[in-house]
Amino acid sequence: MLCIILPLTSILTSWESALSSLANQNIYTVSRLNAEVRLLLENEMGIVWLLGEISNFSAPVSGHWYLTLKDSRAQVKAAMFKGSNRFVQFRPQNGQQVLVKARLSLYEPRGDYQIIIESMQPEGDGRLQQEFEKLKMQLAAEGLFAQTLKHPLPEHPKRVGIITSKTGAALHDILNVLKRRDPSLPVIIYPTMVQGDEAAIQIAQAIGRANSRNECDVLIVGRGGGSLEDLWCFNNEIVARTIAASQIPIISAVGHEVDVTIADFVADVRAPTPSAAAELVSRDNSHKMQAFFNAQQKLVNSWRYYLSQQKTQLTQLNYRLDKQHPMYRLERQQQRLDEREMRLKQAILKRCQQTRQHLARQEYRLQLQSPVKRLTQQRHQLAITEQKLLEAMQRSLLKKRYQFGMLAEKLDTVSPLSTLSRGYSITQNAQGKVVRSAQEVNVGDTLITRLADGEIHSTIDQ
């Protein structure tokens, strides 16, 4: 056997070298790792929109909501704190499809990846609104809303083109206004669908056809009012880009004044209604007012574009500020508290269940060892003794009743109640003290006079 003996100093030196190399490495604790992963998720991913089905929904007394969002192949845990869920207009239910705006995070105590929901809405309306905002921001970033791209409306148009449904109320409104204000103005109608899956393609084709023919000085594109889904073809990217590429000035006249679509932002001028668009293009004595309106509209469009830019910048600054907000730390602490509360409830329920099972086992064992036969004999003996005791008690009770009757008769002869029954009374003051002299009472005192059949309450007047 070969033995190698190393010097002690050499061993110590090697250990010191190993410890030094370990100290130089970046060694994480679990808490530090989870904290840094959470910061990475929150800082890198930012705000996300998520579509999914609600399951495992719970709402503890703290007011926060905890749930799971899932689809056919995956799921993610989610929390929505009461500062955000108080703005939700419906009560979430398991199995409901929703669209949420959330930020990614990590629940550090368990190391669970989760999302913190900031807003929630049902799938249908929310999806359309999300797509609207997404396309709006995309086109704004590309500069399609810039005022420099807008074409000025002709001061005196020679021919007007109308792109709308040939059976819609919008067409009739436009024609009525043009007939009233400028009957001699030629009109070319490009009929198209203004609602449905094929409407966007038809509208874009109609705009392209009008540009290729080049027979109009200005185009009115629009329809009457409706829901967001009804007006959705005017929020289509193809329609927006076709309007932006048009060489003919376009007036967007979609819906009512409160309805806003992507076409309104991209068009050269937005009219609040189809009738207003007809007034813009028709010659009238008030054509100077039209020029003023055009300038005003340009100013409004420029202001909207500026506001859109500022809103985007404000959203980014708010997000950066929110990430440093102590509310997030409080929310995480509240989530931990809720989790510990649920764990405590589960532990109590489990302990109660174990105690019940233990009692059931003990009861079963007791029943197995129960001296039933001996107990039957004791019950029989007890019944006999009980009967004897009952008879003795009855005899004693009769004797005592007789003695009690005799004593009651003697007591009644000396009882003050007997005296009261003969017409006498006892007078007491409010403190229950018997009044024996008129000097013991004063005017205004309350007296209680006890008779044989009740009491009389009186007040001294004199």
Side-chain angles (χ1 to χ4, degrees):
M1 178 180 294
L2 180 61
C3 296
I4 300 177
I5 302 176
L6 296 177
L8 181 59
T9 55
S10 176
I11 297 175
L12 291 175
T13 301
S14 63
W15 271 102
E16 289 175 356
S17 176
L19 290 174
S20 177
S21 63
L22 284 173
N24 292 331
Q25 295 178 1
N26 190 10
I27 301 176
Y28 283 80
T29 63
V30 176
S31 300
R32 179 187 169 193
L33 175 64
N34 284 353
E36 294 200 9
V37 170
R38 178 181 62 79
L39 291 176
L40 283 173
L41 285 174
E42 294 179 349
N43 295 335
E44 295 297 327
M45 292 297 296
I47 297 296
V48 296
W49 288 88
L50 194 63
L51 178 67
E53 177 186 327
I54 295 178
S55 65
N56 301 324
F57 177 79
S58 65
V61 293
S62 61
H64 306 313
W65 292 350
Y66 301 101
L67 58 138
T68 301
L69 283 180
K70 66 177 183 177
D71 56 21
S72 58
R73 294 184 296 178
Q75 65 180 20
V76 61
K77 291 184 178 180
M80 189 173 192
F81 299 107
K82 62 181 179 181
S84 300
N85 63 33
R86 61 191 177 95
F87 298 106
V88 178
Q89 302 297 320
F90 65 98
R91 181 69 171 182
Q93 302 290 334
N94 288 328
Q96 185 176 13
Q97 290 284 339
V98 292
L99 179 72
V100 300
K101 177 184 176 184
R103 51 187 172 84
L104 271 68
S105 184
L106 183 89
Y107 184 50
E108 297 178 29
R110 289 199 309 263
D112 286 348
Y113 148 71
Q114 65 177 4
I115 59 172
I116 306 300
I117 300 175
E118 296 185 354
S119 67
M120 178 188 296
Q121 49 193 322
E123 175 187 4
D125 296 342
R127 211 168 194 178
L128 293 179
Q129 190 65 35
Q130 181 200 11
E131 293 179 9
F132 175 86
E133 295 294 338
K134 181 179 178 182
L135 180 59
K136 178 182 171 183
M137 294 183 65
Q138 175 188 341
L139 297 181
E142 294 181 15
L144 265 68
F145 302 162
Q147 191 61 37
T148 55
L149 299 179
K150 308 296 183 183
H151 299 94
L153 295 182
E155 190 170 352
H156 300 291
K158 299 177 181 179
R159 191 178 285 109
V160 176
I162 304 174
I163 299 176
T164 187
S165 171
K166 62 182 179 181
T167 60
L171 178 60
H172 296 286
D173 293 343
I174 294 172
L175 294 178
N176 288 336
V177 173
L178 294 178
K179 182 178 179 181
R180 173 173 51 85
R181 290 173 57 86
D182 193 357
S184 62
L185 181 62
V187 175
I188 298 177
I189 300 173
Y190 301 90
T192 178
M193 294 176 61
V194 290
Q195 184 174 338
D197 297 335
E198 300 179 4
I201 298 296
Q202 291 192 16
I203 293 172
Q205 291 174 346
I207 296 173
R209 186 161 58 252
N211 275 267
S212 63
R213 293 181 181 179
N214 196 25
E215 54 192 358
C216 301
D217 301 315
V218 63
L219 289 174
I220 298 176
V221 180
R223 58 154 287 165
S227 64
L228 180 61
E229 185 176 2
D230 295 337
L231 306 178
W232 191 248
C233 58
F234 294 95
N235 294 318
N236 188 281
E237 184 176 0
I238 296 176
V239 173
R241 295 190 182 278
T242 304
I243 293 175
S246 174
Q247 298 302 314
I248 302 175
I250 293 180
I251 300 175
S252 174
V254 181
H256 304 297
E257 188 171 0
V258 295
D259 297 323
V260 179
T261 64
I262 298 296
D264 296 333
F265 293 104
V266 181
D268 300 296
V269 175
R270 175 189 181 258
T273 62
S275 299
E279 293 183 1
L280 284 175
V281 299
S282 57
R283 289 185 291 269
D284 196 11
N285 293 332
S286 59
H287 62 276
K288 292 183 179 180
M289 183 62 70
Q290 177 182 341
F292 171 76
F293 182 83
N294 291 341
Q296 184 186 34
Q297 192 65 32
K298 290 180 181 179
L299 179 62
V300 170
N301 289 336
S302 299
W303 183 245
R304 282 179 177 165
Y305 179 72
Y306 174 76
L307 286 180
S308 177
Q309 295 277 359
Q310 293 300 312
K311 185 177 180 181
T312 302
Q313 184 178 2
L314 180 62
T315 301
Q316 294 173 350
L317 292 175
N318 281 336
Y319 174 69
R320 291 173 57 187
L321 180 63
D322 286 344
K323 288 194 299 184
Q324 309 298 327
H325 201 286
M327 178 185 67
Y328 290 149
R329 184 175 180 183
L330 291 175
E331 289 174 350
R332 289 193 295 271
Q333 295 293 336
Q334 185 63 51
Q335 186 175 359
R336 293 182 184 178
L337 180 62
D338 289 339
E339 183 197 13
R340 290 174 181 174
E341 181 181 357
M342 288 187 287
R343 288 171 58 189
L344 178 62
K345 289 181 179 178
Q346 292 174 356
I348 292 174
L349 291 175
K350 185 177 179 181
R351 183 62 181 269
C352 290
Q353 185 178 7
Q354 291 175 347
T355 303
R356 290 193 192 98
Q357 293 175 351
H358 178 72
L359 289 175
R361 288 194 297 268
Q362 295 296 331
E363 184 178 359
Y364 177 71
R365 292 174 59 188
L366 184 62
Q367 289 176 354
L368 292 178
Q369 299 177 4
S370 176
V372 178
K373 188 174 180 180
R374 183 180 176 186
L375 189 60
T376 303
Q377 295 175 352
Q378 294 295 331
R379 284 199 186 103
H380 179 68
Q381 185 64 35
L382 179 62
I384 296 174
T385 305
E386 183 180 359
Q387 183 63 30
K388 292 181 179 179
L389 179 61
L390 183 61
E391 292 174 355
M393 288 177 61
Q394 289 177 347
R395 289 193 298 271
S396 176
L397 183 60
L398 290 174
K399 182 178 178 182
K400 294 297 183 182
R401 281 178 179 170
Y402 176 76
Q403 294 175 351
F404 177 74
M406 297 296 293
L407 293 173
E409 289 179 1
K410 293 180 180 179
L411 181 62
D412 186 55
T413 57
V414 296
S415 172
L417 296 177
S418 178
T419 304
L420 293 178
S421 64
R422 293 196 297 272
Y424 292 95
S425 65
I426 300 175
T427 301
Q428 298 173 305
N429 58 19
Q431 289 75 31
K433 182 179 179 182
V434 176
V435 178
R436 294 181 173 83
S437 170
Q439 303 300 324
E440 296 180 1
V441 297
N442 300 309
V443 174
D445 288 353
T446 299
L447 298 181
I448 302 171
T449 304
R450 184 173 179 182
L451 305 175
D453 56 351
E455 297 178 349
I456 297 174
H457 292 250
S458 57
T459 304
I460 299 176
D461 295 330
Q462 184 176 354

